[in-house]
């Protein structure tokens, strides 16, 4: 989705703004996290029926020299747009920013987004608002992220920073030069499992997916790997049958991959395998034994007194409980032994 | 379990992809501290009983000056876990919801979320939070539990829980004595009711997902001239999000070790609780023996007095003289048992996957034998 256009940044344009108050227009790299995009898309769906685009504030982190911006989070800001004027709820933006910063103290304001690829006078106006001194991102440039949300077309995102431009001082507020900057979509290790689940629903008709268990995930991964192996072996067979064009580079690559298989003694494998499978099974067995013991203990604890009332019973209950405790203790010791044994093997 | 599910007003939970992402991010950022936040959404109009969670936001992190003192650390962890029912956070939540309403988000609180590690979430804090939500602001509230360490091992672990009505009733009374448990028939299986969770994507999101990561190019590619060119080829597709090859990972020991530690800890807790209970039983028996002795003495005295025609002494004075010990609450035991069950299930699930993988590896390395 992140476009791979190349950019050439030339000398910074000279604007009418006073010296020193001008935000830096040095090129920067923008990294967008999927969470932000997801949030923008959600906002796009919830826009008022009469509005073409909605806007919101981008939050994230900025590297020390200001050349790397990571967009981590965003929130929607209500605004109304007519042919003549645009109105952004500044008060809302300020209060929401404070609420967000309380929960994420490390994030800062980095810019704003709009859910349409158009850039117009209002964009410039809003851009200048976000880049201003005081509440804005000054002295860093405000990043403007556009995400197109036209139904039926691919979702396209672009990022810009701006440079002041304008003929006269009074027009400076609603005009600026949008400079495209490169950006990419990056996801962290932690988000991978979430993305996996989310994208597993992408081919479903109802766009929903129950939570998959570990075992199902494993099965699907194995099936997928097998498919790929099939594809490669078909190709290799075709080459052997002189039906497909051979490639030495591919051959070399496959050889390298195959030589990654470890060369170990069969006896070693057998031993390691047995050790490990025993560990796994012992832990599983013990865990289930403990579960049963706990269940039993709970039942005895409440069942002991149903036999009657009085002193004789207290003693009786105590005895049962004592026996039960011993059993529980044995389970515990067993667990301990199992663990020691396993740690030795490990 | 099926019966309790029927009673509950919520039968299934549908979670928007956005919520999953926010939750996962927040939990990863604050790990190993517990991350908590609020869920907003609404009950589905077309399908009663289906709770749609459409957005969420984190609670402000609790900033406590961390000292080297271990006790203080514990304290801060407790505070983080108790965040969902803290007063300041309730105000935060109300304000946030007020603002979200302005941008057309379904602004109803429907519960809270928490992160956990290795399924270690069945404790008093969770119960109290969920009780707090389920009783007061919205009786349809749910708790979403995201397991950070299990998710890093492969597939996402996200579960939705509610307290069972029986437990809520018992918790309201605040009495978890043996008598009460017998009467209500409450067992540790019945504390939490798990609800099935579905993930839901919007149309726009589905469209986005089909764009990334880019598929392998469709047209015929020319062959690379050499190996270096192949490895640097920009056309190389990234591994897809789904299926996730991480689930083919073969690490066993860390997981088992951690689970064993946690299990042992639980057993120790169980032990302490049982010892407490035993102590109670013994002191109860002792007191009762004393009372009986006193009663017999008083009876004998009264018999002597009757013989000598003196006025009788009252026989129920023992209630004033002796005090029966208070029975310790069994709530902790119940929760602990539930926790052990949780661990055992977890181990079961893990074993199933890992033994499959191990047999696969074995037959891969020793092709002739199987």
């Amino acid at each position: 989705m992140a476009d791979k256009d190349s950019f050439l940044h030339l000398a910074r344009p000279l604007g009418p703004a006073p010296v020193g108050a001008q935000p830096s227009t040095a090129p920067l790299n923008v990294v967008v996290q999927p969470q932000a995009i997801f949030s923008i898309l959600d906002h796009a769906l919830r826009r008022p029926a009469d509005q073409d685009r909605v806007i919101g504030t981008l939050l994230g982190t900025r590297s020390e020299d200001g050349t790397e911006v990571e967009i981590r989070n965003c929130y929607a800001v209500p605004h109304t747009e007519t042919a003549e004027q645009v109105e952004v709820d500044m008060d809302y933006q300020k209060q929401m920013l404070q609420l967000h910063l309380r929960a994420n103290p490390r994030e800062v304001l980095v810019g704003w987004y709009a859910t349409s690829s158009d850039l117009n006078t209002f964009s410039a106006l809003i851009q200048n608002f976000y880049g201003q001194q005081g509440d804005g991102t000054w002295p860093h440039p405000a990043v403007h992220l556009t995400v197109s949300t036209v139904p039926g077309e691919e979702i396209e995102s672009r990022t810009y920073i701006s440079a002041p431009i304008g003929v006269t001082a009074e027009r400076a507020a609603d005009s600026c030069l949008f400079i495209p900057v490169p950006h990419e979509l990056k996801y962290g290790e932690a988000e991978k499992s979430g993305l996996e689940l989310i994208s597993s629903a992408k081919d479903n008709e109802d766009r929903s997916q129950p939570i998959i268990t570990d075992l199902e995930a494993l099965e699907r991964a194995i099936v997928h790997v097998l498919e790929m192996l099939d594809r490669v072996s078909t190709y290799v067979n075709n080459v052997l049958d002189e039906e497909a064009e051979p490639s030495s580079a591919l051959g070399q690559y496959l050889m390298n991959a195959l030589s990654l298989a470890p060369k170990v003694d069969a006896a070693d494998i057998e031993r390691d395998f047995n050790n490990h499978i025993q560990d796994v099974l012992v832990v599983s067995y013990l865990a289930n034994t403990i579960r049963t013991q706990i269940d039993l203990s709970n039942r005895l604890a409440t069942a002991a007194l149903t036999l009657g009332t009085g002193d004789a019973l207290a003693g009786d209950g105590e005895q049962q409980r004592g026996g039960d405790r011993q059993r529980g203790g044995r389970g515990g010791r067993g667990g301990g032994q199992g663990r020691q044994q396993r740690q030795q093997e490990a | 379990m099926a019966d309790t599910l029927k009673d509950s007003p919520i039968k299934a939970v549908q979670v928007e992809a956005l919520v999953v992402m926010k939750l996962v991010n927040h939990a990863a950022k604050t790990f190993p501290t517990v991350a908590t936040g609020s869920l907003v959404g609404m009950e589905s109009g077309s399908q009663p009983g289906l709770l749609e969670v459409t957005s969420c936001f984190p609670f402000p992190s609790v900033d406590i000056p961390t000292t080297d003192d271990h006790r203080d650390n514990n304290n801060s962890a407790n505070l983080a876990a108790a965040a969902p029912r803290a007063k300041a956070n309730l105000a935060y939540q109300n304000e946030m919801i007020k603002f979200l309403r302005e941008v057309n988000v379904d602004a109803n609180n429907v519960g809270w979320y928490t992160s956990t590690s290795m399924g270690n979430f069945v404790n008093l804090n969770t119960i109290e939070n969920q009780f707090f939500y389920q009783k007061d602001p919205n009786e349809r509230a749910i708790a979403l539990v995201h397991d950070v360490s299990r998710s890093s091992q492969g597939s996402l672990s996200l579960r939705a829980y509610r307290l069972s009505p029986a437990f809520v009733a018992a918790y309201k009374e605040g009495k978890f004595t043996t008598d009460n448990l017998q009467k209500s028939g409450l067992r540790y299986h019945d504390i939490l009711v798990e609800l099935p969770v579905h993930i839901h994507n919007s149309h726009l999101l589905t469209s986005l997902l089909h764009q990334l990561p880019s598929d392998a190019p469709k047209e015929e590619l020319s062959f690379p001239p050499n190996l270096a060119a192949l490895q640097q080829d920009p056309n190389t597709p990234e591994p897809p999000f789904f299926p996730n090859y991480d689930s083919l990972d073969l690490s066993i020991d860390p997981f088992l070790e951690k689970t064993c530690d946690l299990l042992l800890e639980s057993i120790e807790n169980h032990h302490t609780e049982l010892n407490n209970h035993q102590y109670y039983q013994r002191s109860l028996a002792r007191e009762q023996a004393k009372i009986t002795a006193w009663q017999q003495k008083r009876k004998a005295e009264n018999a002597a007095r009757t013989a000598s025609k003196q006025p009788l002494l009252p026989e129920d004075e023992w209630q004033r003289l002796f005090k029966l010990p208070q029975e310790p609450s069994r709530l902790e035991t119940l929760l602990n048992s539930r926790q052990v069950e949780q661990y055992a299930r977890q181990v079961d699930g893990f074993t199933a996957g890992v033994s499959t993988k191990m047999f696969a590896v074995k037959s891969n390395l020793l092709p002739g034998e199987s």
Side-chain angles (χ1 to χ4, degrees), chain B residues 39-50:
Chain B
L39 302 171
V40 293
M42 56 197 239
E43 198 179 340
S44 167
S46 55
Q47 217 180 322
L50 179 72

Side-chain angles (χ1 to χ4, degrees), chain A residues 1 33 35 37-39 41-42 44-48 76 78 89 92 95-96 99-100 102-105 107 149 154-155 185 187 189-203 206-215 217-218 220-222 224-225 228 235 245 247 249-250 252-253 256 266 269-270 273 276-277 280 283-284 287-288 290-291 294-295 297-299 301-302 305-306 311 314 318 321 325 329 332 336 339 342-343 346, chain B residues 17-18 20-22 24-25 28-29 54 58-61 92 96 99-100 102-106 150-151 154-156 158 178 181-182 187-189 197-212 223-227 230-231 240-248 252-253 256-257 260-261 263-264 267 270-271 274-275 277-278 281-282 288 292 330 337 340-341 344-345 347-348 351-355 357-359 362 365-366 369:
Chain A
M1 180 177 102
Q33 289 201 344
Q35 182 192 341
I37 297 277
F38 280 30
S39 195
L41 292 182
D42 184 68
L45 284 175
R46 294 173 186 281
R47 66 173 186 259
D89 196 336
Y92 183 94
Q95 296 197 21
M96 198 66 169
L99 283 181
H100 265 275
R102 266 170 70 190
N104 308 301
E107 287 172 5
T149 50
E154 296 225 320
I155 292 168
L185 200 61
Y187 57 91
E189 201 50 46
E191 291 157 306
K192 213 175 160 188
S193 57
L195 281 171
E196 176 200 3
L197 187 68
I198 291 165
S199 53
S200 68
K202 72 178 176 186
D203 293 322
D206 57 352
R207 312 188 307 281
S208 68
Q209 169 79 36
I211 297 276
I212 40 176
T213 62
D214 285 352
L215 212 54
L218 177 67
R220 288 182 210 200
I222 290 177
H224 207 253
V225 170
M228 291 195 289
Y235 169 71
E245 196 186 333
S247 157
L250 281 183
Q252 212 175 341
Y253 186 78
N256 283 352
I269 295 173
E270 193 74 43
F273 172 78
H276 272 95
I277 202 95
V280 172
V283 173
S284 160
N288 280 305
I290 292 165
R291 187 172 71 178
I294 294 277
D295 196 11
S297 150
N298 268 295
R299 274 161 196 271
T302 47
L305 290 175
T306 49
D311 292 343
E318 199 179 324
R321 222 181 301 281
R325 190 189 60 80
R339 181 157 149 266
R342 196 180 46 66
Q343 279 177 344
Chain B
L18 173 66
V20 177
M21 288 313 291
K22 279 192 168 178
V24 167
N25 261 333
K29 212 163 47 184
T54 49
F59 284 131
S61 44
Y92 179 84
M96 194 68 151
F99 279 115
L100 287 178
E102 284 189 40
V103 285
N104 301 332
V105 175
D106 308 316
R150 294 199 63 205
S151 298
S155 64
L156 184 80
L158 188 69
T178 317
L181 288 185
Q182 272 163 16
R187 302 213 337 259
Y188 66 92
H189 309 276
V197 178
H198 283 255
I199 300 291
H200 183 262
N201 297 343
S202 64
H203 282 289
L204 273 178
L205 193 59
T206 313
S207 152
L208 175 74
L209 287 172
H210 275 280
Q211 274 171 258
L212 52 96
F223 282 111
N226 53 38
L227 193 59
L230 178 67
Q231 273 157 354
F241 291 134
F242 171 80
N244 188 347
Y245 298 134
D246 280 358
S247 55
L248 296 175
I252 305 169
D253 294 333
L256 288 184
E257 215 163 295
C260 282
D261 280 347
L263 260 177
L264 284 180
I267 290 171
H270 188 72
H271 236 269
L274 278 181
N275 279 340
H277 208 80
Q278 242 179 315
Q281 293 266 335
R282 267 202 304 272
Q288 272 173 342
T292 328
R330 297 200 64 89
S337 311
V340 168
E341 198 196 355
R345 292 236 172 99
V347 170
D348 271 356
T351 332
V354 93
S355 47
K357 282 187 239 173
M358 285 179 53
F359 275 102
K362 188 198 173 200
L365 290 175
L366 303 172
E369 292 198 9

Side-chain angles (χ1 to χ4, degrees), chain B residues 76-152:
Chain B
S76 80
N78 256 339
L79 264 178
R85 56 180 195 281
K87 267 226 177 78
N89 284 333
L90 274 188
Y92 179 84
Q93 174 175 313
N94 288 339
E95 204 164 336
M96 194 68 151
I97 287 180
K98 196 180 82 201
F99 279 115
L100 287 178
R101 183 169 289 136
E102 284 189 40
V103 285
N104 301 332
V105 175
D106 308 316
N108 308 304
N109 174 262
V110 292
W112 60 291
Y113 68 80
T114 179
S115 70
T116 177
S117 160
M118 307 295 295
N120 179 16
F121 67 92
V122 188
N123 50 34
L124 260 182
N125 266 326
T126 313
I127 298 294
E128 265 170 46
N129 286 340
Q130 177 59 17
F131 179 73
F132 178 80
Y133 272 85
Q134 209 165 317
K135 127 199 115 134
D136 210 17
N138 180 352
E139 58 155 11
R140 300 173 187 282
I142 56 154
L144 266 187
V145 179
H146 166 65
D147 196 323
V148 183
S149 27
R150 294 199 63 205
S151 298
S152 67

Side-chain angles (χ1 to χ4, degrees), chain A residues 305-344:
Chain A
L305 290 175
T306 49
L307 303 170
T309 46
D311 292 343
L313 193 103
D316 195 21
E318 199 179 324
Q319 261 179 13
Q320 285 201 30
R321 222 181 301 281
D324 160 40
R325 190 189 60 80
Q326 269 183 4
R327 253 169 283 152
R330 214 178 303 145
R333 273 200 299 280
Q337 279 163 10
R339 181 157 149 266
Q340 277 162 13
Q341 174 199 353
R342 196 180 46 66
Q343 279 177 344
Q344 275 166 13

